[in-house]
Amino acid sequence: VTLSSRNHSNMLIFLTCDFQDKQYVGFATLPNQVHRKSVKKGFDFTLMVAGESGLGKSTLVNSLFLTDLYKDRKLLNAEERINQTVEITKHTVDIEEKGVKLKLTIVDTPGFGDAVNNNECWRPITDYIDQQFEQYFRDESGLNRKNILDNRVHCCLYFIPPFGHGLRPVDVEFMKALHEKVNIIPLISKADCLTPNEVKKLKDRVRDEIERFGIKVYQFPECDSDEEEEFKQMDKELKECTPFAVIGSNTVVEARGQRVRGRLYPWGIVEVENQSHCDFVKLRNMLIRSHMHDLKDVTCDVHYENYRAHCIQEMTSKLAQDNRTDSPLPLLPLPTPDVETERLIKMKDEELKRMQEMLEKMQQQMHEKDQ
Amino acid sequence: MADVGKTPVARNEKASSEFGYVGIDAILEQMRRKAMKQGFEFNIMVVGQSGLGKSTLTNTLFKSKVSRRSVMTTEEERIPKTIEIKSISHVIEEKGVRMKLTVIDTPGFGDQINNENCWQPIMKFINAQYEQYLQEEINIDRKKRISDSRVHCCIYFIPPTGHCLRPIDIEFMRHLSKVVNIVPVISKADTLTLEERDFFKQKIREDLRANEIDIYPQKEFDEDAEDRMINEKIRAMIPFAVVGSDQEYQVNGKRLLGRKTRWGTVEVENTTHCEFAYLRDLLIRTHMQNIKDITSSIYYEMYRVRRLNENNTKPNGQPAIHANGVPEHEVLSHEM
């Protein structure tokens, strides 16, 4: 009998009749069982990057995930940029490491903040995030829930330019428009143009302004009291270091006898992964190694639930106004769907009818709550 | 502007993964931490006539007094007039993993003179749990983590007659295998010799096949070749012939759970004596998560689709078809 040699296989216990752990019931293997399933299925993560052109967003993404997502990119010249609007582009890449598969989606926002008049330039971005929530809401309420695709944005890295003296009005407005829809992590980009003192001053300033303007950036969850000391220490350092001052690089340089990612200047070499040079490592560790799951959780449990509650309330109030018409059409503010087959259209119709019923029930629930 | 061309070192090279390590496998550790903090839930139902050893077996499985008998106040042992459903929860912990275990007992099942439709109260209970979960799910203000009271697994106790399944067994399993994972076991198997046991098992398997009863692990839910290989081995052995005991005896210098008789001691955890250990491994050590997954992603989803479709059957009275094209078996309302 050849057994699979997967790390997480525990069929060994089943097929060899050797019970070392006689005194145990054995459900301590549950985390491993869950593990095994997740390893098979793989994970997904959607990361959005936002900020003006030229702040090093693409470079940072490539440095974080050791990918080369932007190699075929064509940069617009100044003339072309005059007429550019804010776009949303998506790049998806599958990464596998030590048997764990991650489907990473990077949502980029070229054109953000680049125009002369940047009024409401975040609108396409908030619309995009809402669309993903809406899609998920429909899928979740639908009949066939086996393979729901989760395209919701789990995290938004916002790039603050290092040249100014803190947050600019567009930074504040952007973050306020998005802080209740997505986890925002503000970053100080291109930090290699700042001295350590300047970095500290800028960070303090930005932190102050974030608090003053009431911007709710992503908060790291509190450490449990029973966590190891090392973990608690790391956690504390992480919290005191925000916003992270980062540097990215697509090039490999030779420094101190090793090949590292870095930027070569006549006056020295900046090493991306050197913690005394910048906070790149902290960002990477936080984003990927310790808080990726929490980012997804907060998106699901807080941002998405807010959206859902809001959506349902809007729908029920519309229903009350329309006196419960039979037509399912005005229920959801849907964009025109793609070309679908007859069957799919019929299925959606049935879903809408059913949702109508559900909403009637909820409306009743809400009335009861009010009384 | 410095002359970068002087130093030939920097190259626009694609730095690949062999160079460094992103660390995405750390997400498994994050998940594990979260799962450990949250704890797990498992709901197991035991069904069978009085005296087949249901309570003892559950105590043996979880090595603690979790069954109804253990928690019962000093009532007289009586057969209830109708089937009762009694649900008892305990939180047990092992190696840092916390589990809220709920044992649902069904005293009175199959004990009456007329046992027609005795499966109905049980079916009703199971559907009521699905309904409760559904209501929580469609709430506007949802809880972060909905408490899962759905029955994950139903152990059905077959008396060791040695012949074949009885009509009540077939009735019950036929109806319930459509809504819950059923694990039939041959109870009190210490009355069967090994040959009788094998013969009985074979007959049972034939009967199940003839009546198209799909017990756990169901063939159609095998996800991939690896699962199939493992599950085929299990399917060749079920139903497990079990003996339960919560008393320890000294055997060969070791203290073991067993039943002591004049002609020898039956060791519960000895696989040459009975198959309790296999049952325990299946339910707890290897397939617990899979059992829960099948309940939530298949049985619960089926219930949900049925419920949602009930609200709009087609005008000609025909039941609607599931979104995945599977027609309904019977029109079972959630209120029975």
Side-chain angles (χ1 to χ4, degrees), chain B residues 20-167:
Chain B
Y21 153 73
V22 179
I24 57 180
D25 57 326
I27 195 172
L28 291 180
E29 184 55 37
Q30 297 171 40
M31 272 185 62
R32 185 201 194 84
R33 242 181 232 276
K34 180 178 173 208
M36 299 284 279
K37 262 210 274 191
Q38 267 181 353
F40 298 87
E41 289 174 302
F42 192 60
N43 306 322
I44 190 171
M45 180 184 259
V46 286
V47 181
Q49 288 168 309
S50 284
L52 286 183
K54 302 190 293 294
S55 305
T56 310
L57 188 74
T58 19
N59 284 350
T60 319
L61 266 175
F62 294 100
K63 288 206 159 66
S64 12
K65 302 231 178 287
V66 291
S67 72
R68 167 185 60 98
R69 282 280 151 81
S70 320
V71 186
M72 223 161 67
T73 50
T74 51
E75 276 170 43
E76 278 178 9
E77 298 258 339
R78 56 164 182 75
I79 292 181
K81 291 244 160 40
T82 52
I83 300 176
E84 296 169 357
I85 312 255
K86 293 214 165 105
S87 187
I88 299 178
S89 297
H90 295 261
V91 175
I92 46 183
E93 181 169 340
E94 195 174 80
K95 291 192 188 172
V97 178
R98 247 177 324 115
M99 181 159 81
K100 176 164 170 257
L101 173 72
T102 305
V103 179
I104 303 152
D105 205 341
T106 54
F109 174 84
D111 287 333
Q112 317 304 326
I113 296 174
N114 179 359
N115 286 311
E116 267 183 2
N117 298 331
C118 57
W119 48 270
Q120 271 181 0
I122 298 174
M123 173 86 102
K124 189 170 172 184
F125 177 82
I126 292 177
N127 283 333
Q129 306 316 304
Y130 288 150
E131 181 66 26
Q132 188 182 341
Y133 196 87
L134 181 65
Q135 290 303 325
E136 291 270 5
E137 231 189 13
I138 62 178
N139 224 348
I140 301 180
D141 220 348
R142 301 202 284 205
K143 294 204 210 113
K144 199 169 181 185
R145 210 174 148 242
I146 302 176
S147 165
D148 191 359
S149 64
R150 301 173 290 190
V151 179
H152 297 128
C153 173
C154 173
I155 305 186
Y156 184 74
F157 285 69
I158 302 171
T161 58
H163 299 308
C164 59
L165 288 178
R166 305 162 302 158

Side-chain angles (χ1 to χ4, degrees), chain A residues 25-26 29 33 37 40 97 140 142 145 227 259 266 288-289 292-293 301 305 308 354 362, chain B residues 2 13 21-23 30 33-34 94 138-139 142 144 224 226 284-285 288-289 293 301 304 308:
Chain A
V25 175
T29 60
Q33 294 181 41
K37 182 155 187 264
K40 263 210 247 188
E97 242 184 25
E140 197 191 39
R145 311 202 293 183
E227 292 279 11
R259 285 152 51 83
I288 302 172
R289 295 185 194 179
M292 187 181 264
H293 201 67
D301 297 338
E305 289 296 316
R308 183 176 171 271
R354 184 200 22 80
M362 283 175 193
Chain B
E13 215 178 273
Y21 153 73
V22 179
Q30 297 171 40
R33 242 181 232 276
K34 180 178 173 208
E94 195 174 80
I138 62 178
N139 224 348
R142 301 202 284 205
K144 199 169 181 185
D224 54 31
E226 192 194 342
I284 300 174
R285 292 186 186 179
M288 189 183 260
Q289 188 58 42
D293 286 341
E301 290 296 315
R304 182 174 170 271
L308 297 177

Side-chain angles (χ1 to χ4, degrees), chain A residues 166-185:
Chain A
L167 294 178
R168 304 161 302 161
V170 70
D171 299 329
V172 175
E173 289 306 309
F174 175 85
M175 289 201 273
K176 289 194 78 161
L178 260 73
H179 64 174
E180 283 175 345
K181 293 184 193 283
V182 72
N183 296 314
I184 298 188
I185 297 181

Side-chain angles (χ1 to χ4, degrees), chain A residues 1-4 6 8 10-11 13-15 17 19 21-40 43 64-66 68 95-98 100-102 140-146 224 227 231 250-254 259-261 264 266 284 288-294 296-297 301 304-305 308-309 312-313 343 346-347 350 353-354 357-358 361-362 365-366 369, chain B residues 2-4 7 9-17 19-34 36-37 40 61-63 92-95 97-99 135 137-142 144 223-224 226-227 229-230 233-234 237 240 254 256 269 271 277-278 280-282 284-290 292-293 297-298 300-301 304-305 307-309 311-312 314 320-321 323-324:
Chain A
V1 165
T2 51
L3 290 166
S4 124
R6 278 176 179 234
H8 308 290
N10 38 36
M11 288 313 294
I13 302 171
F14 182 81
L15 291 167
C17 311
F19 315 113
D21 297 335
K22 275 213 179 163
Q23 63 275 38
Y24 291 112
V25 175
F27 62 84
T29 60
L30 259 176
N32 283 346
Q33 294 181 41
V34 176
H35 240 206
R36 184 161 170 266
K37 182 155 187 264
S38 307
V39 170
K40 263 210 247 188
F43 299 89
L64 274 173
F65 296 98
L66 300 180
D68 208 352
I95 309 178
E96 180 164 346
E97 242 184 25
K98 295 194 179 171
V100 179
K101 289 189 278 281
L102 177 72
E140 197 191 39
S141 314
L143 291 177
N144 191 346
R145 311 202 293 183
K146 213 150 192 236
D224 289 327
E227 292 279 11
F231 189 80
N250 275 335
T251 56
V252 170
V253 299
E254 179 106 11
R259 285 152 51 83
V260 293
R261 276 190 178 243
L264 177 68
R284 181 191 58 197
I288 302 172
R289 295 185 194 179
S290 51
H291 288 76
M292 187 181 264
H293 201 67
D294 188 60
K296 292 176 74 169
D297 277 349
D301 297 338
Y304 172 68
E305 289 296 316
R308 183 176 171 271
I312 293 176
Q313 275 169 1
R343 188 183 65 85
K346 196 166 79 143
M347 193 167 82
E350 282 172 8
K353 267 203 222 115
R354 184 200 22 80
E357 217 270 6
M358 208 162 68
K361 198 185 296 182
M362 283 175 193
Q365 234 182 23
M366 281 176 62
K369 234 196 233 174
Chain B
D3 183 9
V4 185
T7 43
V9 171
R11 275 163 295 173
N12 207 338
E13 215 178 273
K14 176 178 158 187
S16 60
S17 276
F19 202 100
Y21 153 73
V22 179
I24 57 180
D25 57 326
I27 195 172
L28 291 180
E29 184 55 37
Q30 297 171 40
M31 272 185 62
R32 185 201 194 84
R33 242 181 232 276
K34 180 178 173 208
M36 299 284 279
K37 262 210 274 191
F40 298 87
L61 266 175
F62 294 100
K63 288 206 159 66
I92 46 183
E93 181 169 340
E94 195 174 80
K95 291 192 188 172
V97 178
R98 247 177 324 115
M99 181 159 81
Q135 290 303 325
E137 231 189 13
I138 62 178
N139 224 348
I140 301 180
D141 220 348
R142 301 202 284 205
K144 199 169 181 185
E223 280 176 15
D224 54 31
E226 192 194 342
D227 274 353
M229 180 183 87
I230 295 172
K233 293 199 176 70
I234 299 173
M237 288 204 268
F240 292 125
K254 290 188 280 189
L256 299 170
E269 281 173 338
T271 47
Y278 292 142
R280 189 224 13 236
D281 286 350
L282 177 75
I284 300 174
R285 292 186 186 179
T286 55
H287 283 68
M288 189 183 260
Q289 188 58 42
N290 183 242
K292 292 174 70 172
D293 286 341
S297 62
I298 299 181
Y300 171 70
E301 290 296 315
R304 182 174 170 271
V305 170
R307 263 298 263 139
L308 297 177
N309 269 339
N311 294 329
N312 51 327
K314 295 190 195 158
I321 307 265
N324 56 11

